[in-house]
Amino acid sequence: EAYTYLSFVAPPLKQILTTYSPNHNVLYSLLAKASVHAFGVSELSLRVPALVGGLLSLIAIVAMSRILLRSELTILLSVCLIALNPMIFDYMSEARGYSLALAFYLLGLLRAVPALLGNGDRYRSRLACAGALLGLSVAAHLSFGIPVIALDLIFTAVCLRFSSSRAGAFLAWLVLPQIGVAAAITIGPLIHAQRQEFVGGDTSAFQTLNNFAISCLLHDWDGNGVWTYQVNTWVSGWFYTIFRCIFLLVIGAAVFV
């Protein structure tokens, strides 16, 4: 977070818009600069955009759960399973673009699905709004380009099943706004990006899924093996100890419900 402030928030706007780094979440950097300018330099002001993104994410998660589920208990379990996941909860307050990207992605999904399945005069405007939200998601964190593209492919397949003209309208009113919004915000830093600045993940899909599962359950797993983790992970603080226990109880309840 200190590196984010010193490199992408404190410098002049021109430098922010012409510098690329994997740690440079462009939309977040711009919003954080505005927050710091308005409220002064502090940990809280630097994290304000992330906290807003976390709140929007929770609202979107609740809204999506209410659409997909009917029972109040299953809705509660659904929200807890997502919101209490360490891979999501821990990043909602971190001065990075994760929470904003997730919030815009979920809000875009909530706008796109009803528009995709319906018709009417507002069909195109709703798709355009969804596309803009998904474009903001990519601008908040470039890694969200992968789930956004996956979502576009799924929607395209659904549209082609109905009619080719509907697929054409989908591409025009959903995909083009995504590209336009994301490019307008990130084009400056991306132009100045170097190949060696792009970093990869794990060496295999199995390792990726393994690390993801262990991180969700054990939080600060040290990566030495499937069942190896630091002992002080569970005793590093009462908050995280209680928090993880609640999350595991929610998982157990969801299995039986």
Side-chain angles (χ1 to χ4, degrees):
E1 292 180 331
Y3 175 74
T4 297
Y5 172 77
L6 294 174
S7 302
F8 312 116
V9 178
L13 184 62
K14 181 179 179 181
Q15 182 177 335
I16 297 174
L17 295 175
T18 56
T19 303
Y20 176 80
S21 168
N23 197 67
H24 185 18
N25 308 140
V26 185
L27 179 60
Y28 186 89
S29 298
L30 296 174
L31 294 176
K33 187 174 185 63
S35 175
V36 168
H37 178 75
F39 303 112
V41 180
S42 68
E43 292 183 357
L44 179 59
S45 63
L46 183 62
R47 294 174 176 174
V48 163
L51 297 175
V52 173
L55 178 60
L56 291 176
S57 296
L58 292 176
I59 293 174
I61 291 169
V62 172
M64 189 170 295
S65 298
R66 288 191 174 277
I67 292 174
L68 297 175
L69 305 169
R70 294 184 179 181
S71 167
E72 293 295 330
L73 178 59
T74 55
I75 291 173
L76 176 62
L77 289 175
S78 172
V79 173
C80 290
L81 280 174
I82 300 173
L84 297 181
N85 188 320
M87 296 295 288
I88 294 179
F89 181 84
D90 287 356
Y91 289 100
M92 284 188 175
S93 61
E94 191 171 300
R96 301 289 299 280
Y98 299 110
S99 61
L100 279 175
L102 178 62
F104 287 130
Y105 180 82
L106 293 176
L107 291 174
L109 181 61
L110 284 172
R111 295 291 294 177
V113 172
L116 186 68
L117 299 178
N119 290 301
D121 298 335
R122 301 184 62 185
Y123 166 74
R124 292 183 176 86
S125 62
R126 289 175 179 174
L127 279 181
C129 178
L133 289 169
L134 293 173
L136 289 172
S137 175
V138 176
H141 203 291
L142 289 177
S143 64
F144 272 74
I146 297 174
V148 168
I149 292 174
L151 191 64
D152 290 341
L153 292 175
I154 294 172
F155 283 170
T156 301
V158 173
C159 290
L160 287 173
R161 184 175 180 181
F162 292 101
S163 67
S164 58
S165 60
R166 193 174 182 86
F170 162 79
L171 291 173
W173 293 100
L174 183 69
V175 177
L176 291 181
Q178 291 175 20
I179 298 174
V181 171
I185 298 173
T186 63
I187 189 66
L190 287 177
I191 288 176
H192 296 83
Q194 302 295 323
R195 182 176 181 180
Q196 62 271 18
E197 291 175 320
F198 291 92
V199 295
D202 293 318
T203 56
S204 67
F206 173 79
Q207 187 177 358
T208 299
L209 294 174
N210 180 63
N211 287 349
F212 176 76
I214 296 297
S215 297
C216 288
L217 296 177
L218 301 179
H219 185 51
D220 291 323
W221 181 59
D222 63 7
N224 292 327
V226 175
W227 301 107
T228 304
Y229 58 92
Q230 297 175 357
V231 176
N232 65 357
T233 296
W234 291 96
V235 296
S236 58
W238 284 106
F239 173 78
Y240 276 109
T241 303
I242 297 173
F243 184 83
R244 302 302 174 232
C245 291
I246 294 175
F247 181 62
L248 292 175
L249 287 175
V250 171
I251 293 177
V255 170
F256 291 101
V257 172

